[in-house]
Amino acid sequence: MSLRVVVLISGRGSNLKAILETDDPLVDVCAVISNRANAKGLDYAHSCNIPTEVMDHKKFNTRFDFDAALWQLIDTYQPQLVVLAGFMRILSPEFVTHYQGHLINIHPSLLPAFKGLHTHERVLKAGVNIHGVSVHFVTAELDAGPVIIQAQIPVLPEDDPETLATRLLKEEHRIYPQAIHWIAEKRVQLVKQQVFLDGKPLSYVLPDNYPMGD
Ligand code: GAR
């Protein structure tokens, strides 16, 4: 049986597209939900005949009200995994707890370094020569949480934020479907904030003297 997945997006949806184009027989994307009606990724989901939903966070008084309505909507699809793919909302601890171990995110940095926004600009400003991307289980802390897979790319002398983002995106599109595939194969376990792959603990070490980007 394939893994039932709900994908949450806010915009372009290129990671969603990469996941769908992989056409993994072990993965069934049963819905795509956006907090923005004009998210481009919704068009692609439509073209694949995948049910889409829009839940506008601006229509809710509090973060918790939005999150509670969101998880109720998500749960109508009975997913086994919720995938954040450029979903640009901070999620409440209650939401995160509700999906503990079943909620993953992709973040364009070598976590735990460079959490937050504008990572490409900040990496260039910090003058490091390696950048990267992480897929991780979501915990209550923003862009934190145990890493499932990372990819690194070199920062080239001629790079600007756009060239860096473009090269990194290729790696995003490779590792996100890979992480979901491992989960669908039941090869990944999260035990007390430690990720195991095939029963072996995973650990990702930052390059020497790598700044945290604070
Ligand atoms: C991706 O680069 C993803 O890593 C980033 O947003 C972009 C979404 O692009 N996510 C974050 O910054 C999360 N903190 P996409 O809509 O084309 O997939």
Side-chain angles (χ1 to χ4, degrees), residues 20 24 28-29 36 68 70 72-73 76 86 89 96 136 144 146 152 170 175 178-179 188 197 213:
L20 292 173
D24 188 332
D28 170 20
V29 177
R36 295 186 194 281
L70 182 59
Q72 279 161 29
L73 176 63
T76 62
R89 295 274 312 162
V96 172
H136 64 97
Q152 297 188 356
K170 281 199 183 129
I175 69 170
Q178 174 69 79
V188 177
L197 179 67

Side-chain angles (χ1 to χ4, degrees), residues 140-156:
E141 198 191 334
L142 176 69
D143 295 328
V147 171
I148 303 166
I149 185 170
Q150 282 186 337
Q152 297 188 356
I153 62 166
V155 178
L156 305 176

Side-chain angles (χ1 to χ4, degrees), residues 11-16 85-86 88 105-108 116 133 143 169 172:
R12 180 177 56 182
S14 71
N15 277 290
L16 166 71
M88 303 311 260
N105 182 43
I106 190 160
H107 179 74
V133 53
D143 295 328
L169 205 56
E172 298 194 25

